[in-house]
Structure formats: C-alpha cells, structure tokens
Amino acid sequence: MLNVFAEDYLATIGSADFAPRPKVSGRLASFDGLLMEAVGLQLPVGTVCAVGGDNGASRVEAEVIGFRNGRTLLMNLGGPAPLLPKSPVRPLGPPGEAEVGAALLGRVVDGAGKPIDGLGPIRGATRWPLAGKLQNPLDRGRVLESLDVGVRAINGLLTIGQGQRVGIMAGSGVGKSVLLGMIVRAAEADVVVIGLIGERSREVADFLETKVAGAARQRSVVVAVPANHSPVLRIRGALRATAIAEAFRAEGKKVLLIMDSLTRVAHAGREIGLALGEPASARGYPPSAIAMLPNLIERAGTSVSSGGSITAIYTVLADGDDGNDPVVDSARSILDGHIVLSRQLAERGVYPAIDLGPSVSRVMTDIAARDHVHAARVLRRHLATYEENRDLVLMGAYRAGADPAIDAAMACHPAVMDYIRQDADEVVPLEASVAELTGVFGDG
C-alpha cells in the first residue's frame, strides 16, 4: 500500500510543471520609525514587504515608495516593532490590486483590505487595480439626472446630479460629518462606499451605528483608516474606496462615494513627500501631495459604456477656516460643485450651516427645471441683500421703505432660515424640497 502511494506521489511530482524560483530577500539598512531603507532587492513601487520576523521576532509590513542611491525606500504600514539592523526584507506579493464586488457589501475593511468587522474573511471577491483604469474622456457621460440626498437646502438650492463630484468645505467642528450622515441615510443609490480616512477612531463605530445602521448597512461598504495609521495606509484607503466604487460602476450601478476627508489624504501625501526629501511649497505641501488630488477625484463620474455612475462627495477641511488653503483651493478647481459650511451660522444655531453665498452646484442648471432654478435665484438674492445690510438693520440705521429690495429681504428672511434649517434625523425628499421652494419664492 505504501509503495502504491509513493509511486502515485512521485508520478504526480514528475508530471507537474515545477520551476524552482529563488526567494527574493534584502536587508534593512536604516529605520527611523516611519521611513525604511533596504539594500539587496529591487521591487516596483507599491509592493508590500515583510520586514523582520527572523527567529520568532515580530515583523511589520512596509510599502515600497521610492529609491535613493541604490537603496529601496519603504514606508512603515504597521506600528512600532523591535527591528534590528540587517533584518530581512521580503516581498509579500505584487502591488496594486483591491478586492471588489458584491462580497464586500455590509463589510468594513482597513486600508490593506483586511476585514475589521469580526465577520470573518471576505469570500468571492474579484480584483480591481488600486490606481483604477484609465478612462477615455469621451466615455465620461454628462450629468443629466438629479440625485435625492434628503437635505432640503441641497436638494432645492444646490441640486446634486448623478455622477457629480461635490466638496463639503468647512473648518473643524462645523458639522461636516453630521451632514454626511444625513446624506448617507437618505441618498437614492444602489451602493454606498464610505471612506473614513484619517479621522478619529471613535467616528468609525459612531458612523456605523448611527449613519449606516439597519437596511443602509447592507448596501454599504466602509473603508476605515483612522488618523493613527500609517500615511501610506491612509492613501491606500482612499484608493481602495475609489476602486471599489469603480467596480460597482462597471456593473452599471448608481454608486454614492463618500470620503471623509480629502484633506487627510493630502496630509498623508505631505508626510510621504517630505520623508522622500521633496521641497515644501505652499503651506508645507510638496507638489506631489497636491498633484495627487486630481488623480483621485477624476476617477469619479458617469460611464457611457456601462451606464453606471459614481456620485462623489468629499469633505475638505479648511485649516483655520481659510478658504484659500492649498487643498481647498485645489479641490474647488477640480470638483463640479462645493458646499461651504459657515461657523457663524453654526454659532447662531442654524444646522446644517450651509453658507449659500460661496456655495455652488455647477450642474444644477442642467438637471433642474426652469421654475426651480428661478426660485433658487430669488432666495439667494434675498439672502445676499439681507446679509449685505444686516449691520445697518441691527443698528437701527435703516428706515423701512427706503429700499424695496431690503424690505423684501427682511420680510423673507425668516422663511429663508426656515428653509435652510433641518434636523439631523429629518429626511426631506427632492420633490418636497422643490415644491416648498417654488411655492414660497417662485413669484419673486
């Protein structure tokens, strides 16, 4: 019996197409806690490597980010580890692919694609390039259909279209995440992909339990990379969330991509660029950190070939409430619209604190009816007139009847504020938002 097994086993080995390959390995030459330099191996940028692990020692993962003077530069993906000089550096696999598909619905993964929700491994997923597939500009369809997001002020005054890229811009603590939660709960989309990049760890559990609870969880995919993770993982998390959305779009689905926040992605790019020795330019950002944003944002949009779309909403943190911050300015020039949140409105108790003056949707005139656009312009005109003369009115320097435009703005101001205000758990459909807007301001 043993001889029969041995003959079968040897025959199987002899018929197999066996080609021995040497194991690629290098040695760690320097390590400062984040940036590593290895010698003795040549690997493409993006390859993930295991560093350490000899004789039972702990190991960390690192990603190849560049080369310098014949050495391979790697960025630490994990936490601190007791690494020693000349620790082995071995590649773990080819770079640049993400697990995508319906198997990810309802799951939460980290920047490396590993599930962190305790529901076991992800089975049945397909592969998609992390960097995406280059799209012909002529295959990018126009934005012609509106998307209901359940927020009255956005539906009526800053109407969003399917395939539009929008930025929510504000300083810290003004209500960006709360507004995102309102949109996620009410948005009419087949799939919602959420990238929580560089934010607080507490927000991940809070977002799952309050914003995407119940039925919304089953159509959502969450990529969570908190602020204490490596900058490379933060960037990979943003790329992974976009790749997952692209794969669903290729299936013809309407995808809503939420990324909180785009600024943290730029911060991660700044850390990597400075570690590589790039010169700091605008406010400490190296050129590569700002140049990375168009490559990420341009991947969203509609697809003529599949009929699917990615409607992307990015939060953009304005450091110091500065609207001319390099990340804010760069994102504003690329996006198809931006929603600015005002700290002054938030201090007055107006939530969501949308500042309509600098906010704009560049596709609203293509997707909204003429009477809808007219009513939105009337409301904006009344609000702008009131804000310009607010100080005069409060000081008592304005006499009623001196200017009909100011009188009309003062009379309409309570209705304007009531239209903008909305409770966080309230959902106002698109049709109701437009009907209320045209009913109050349609004759202005």
Side-chain angles (χ1 to χ4, degrees):
M1 186 71 180
L2 183 62
N3 291 336
V4 173
F5 170 77
E7 291 176 1
D8 293 342
Y9 178 70
L10 293 174
T12 303
I13 295 178
S15 62
D17 187 11
F18 177 71
R21 297 172 183 170
K23 287 187 176 180
V24 178
S25 178
R27 292 290 174 179
L28 187 64
S30 72
F31 176 41
D32 61 4
L34 189 65
L35 187 66
M36 306 179 184
E37 294 187 8
V39 295
L41 77 167
Q42 296 180 355
L43 299 170
V45 172
T47 304
V48 178
C49 300
V51 183
D54 269 2
N55 301 323
S58 60
R59 73 174 193 177
V60 297
E61 292 186 359
E63 180 177 330
V64 178
I65 61 171
F67 313 96
R68 180 189 297 150
N69 299 327
R71 294 185 172 188
T72 301
L73 304 181
L74 303 99
M75 187 73 76
N76 187 5
L77 294 179
L83 298 176
L84 296 174
K86 297 185 179 180
S87 295
V89 181
R90 300 185 180 92
L92 294 179
E97 283 191 333
E99 291 185 327
V100 299
L104 274 77
L105 292 175
R107 302 303 302 269
V108 185
V109 299
D110 62 8
K114 300 175 182 176
I116 58 175
D117 51 9
L119 300 179
I122 298 173
R123 305 185 186 280
T126 55
R127 296 281 179 173
W128 191 273
L130 267 179
K133 299 179 181 179
L134 189 62
Q135 189 176 17
N136 187 333
L138 298 180
D139 190 40
R140 180 65 56 83
R142 294 181 60 198
V143 179
L144 298 174
E145 296 183 32
S146 58
L147 177 71
D148 187 357
V149 296
V151 181
R152 181 169 48 230
I154 297 178
N155 281 339
L157 305 171
L158 301 163
T159 311
I160 294 177
Q162 296 176 19
Q164 185 177 359
R165 291 87 50 89
V166 182
I168 300 178
M169 302 175 176
S172 56
V174 185
K176 297 186 299 297
S177 297
V178 176
L179 181 57
L180 277 185
M182 296 171 66
I183 294 173
V184 169
R185 281 194 300 268
E188 294 184 350
D190 299 326
V191 178
V192 180
V193 181
I194 304 167
L196 302 176
I197 312 298
E199 296 298 322
R200 298 178 291 274
S201 298
R202 176 190 63 80
E203 284 193 346
V204 177
D206 180 73
F207 209 96
L208 291 174
E209 294 178 7
T210 61
K211 275 73 172 181
V212 289
R217 180 75 178 271
Q218 302 307 315
R219 61 174 182 143
S220 303
V221 182
V222 180
V223 181
V225 191
N228 60 336
H229 285 214
S230 162
V232 177
L233 273 181
R234 278 177 260 155
I235 292 178
R236 287 176 73 93
L239 296 176
R240 186 173 300 278
T242 308
I244 293 171
E246 285 179 320
F248 282 116
R249 179 181 62 186
E251 298 176 5
K253 297 184 181 298
K254 293 192 302 182
V255 184
L256 176 64
L257 172 63
I258 301 286
M259 192 165 296
D260 186 14
S261 77
L262 193 67
T263 304
R264 304 302 186 192
V265 179
H267 286 178
R270 177 172 63 184
E271 292 182 45
I272 295 175
L274 294 178
L276 288 172
E278 278 191 70
S281 53
R283 307 232 180 142
Y285 288 97
S288 63
I290 302 299
M292 176 178 57
L293 301 181
N295 295 332
L296 186 66
I297 294 173
E298 277 296 310
R299 292 169 62 180
T302 59
S303 174
V304 174
S305 57
S306 69
S309 65
I310 299 176
T311 306
I313 300 179
Y314 305 93
T315 63
V316 185
L317 177 65
D319 290 332
D321 290 347
D322 185 6
N324 294 320
D325 180 82
V327 178
V328 175
D329 192 50
S330 178
R332 188 167 48 221
S333 65
I334 305 166
L335 295 168
D336 302 322
H338 48 273
I339 301 169
V340 180
L341 304 186
S342 167
R343 191 174 298 276
Q344 288 74 24
L345 286 175
E347 291 171 352
R348 295 179 207 162
V350 178
Y351 289 100
I354 298 175
D355 189 355
L356 292 176
S359 301
V360 65
S361 173
R362 298 180 182 176
V363 303
M364 181 175 175
T365 54
D366 296 331
I367 60 178
R370 182 172 299 180
D371 58 340
H372 176 190
V373 175
H374 171 72
R377 288 174 177 168
V378 170
L379 186 149
R380 283 174 171 270
R381 185 172 69 244
H382 288 323
L383 181 60
T385 303
Y386 182 87
E387 292 297 335
E388 288 172 3
N389 299 277
R390 177 184 176 85
D391 294 338
L392 289 175
V393 174
L394 294 179
M395 289 168 50
Y398 175 73
R399 188 181 74 257
D403 189 332
I406 299 178
D407 293 338
M410 291 174 59
C412 292
H413 190 67
V416 172
M417 289 294 101
D418 288 341
Y419 190 83
I420 296 175
R421 284 192 184 95
Q422 183 175 332
D423 292 335
D425 56 354
E426 182 184 1
V427 176
V428 182
L430 177 62
E431 292 182 1
S433 304
V434 175
E436 184 177 346
L437 178 66
T438 54
V440 177
F441 299 96
D443 298 329

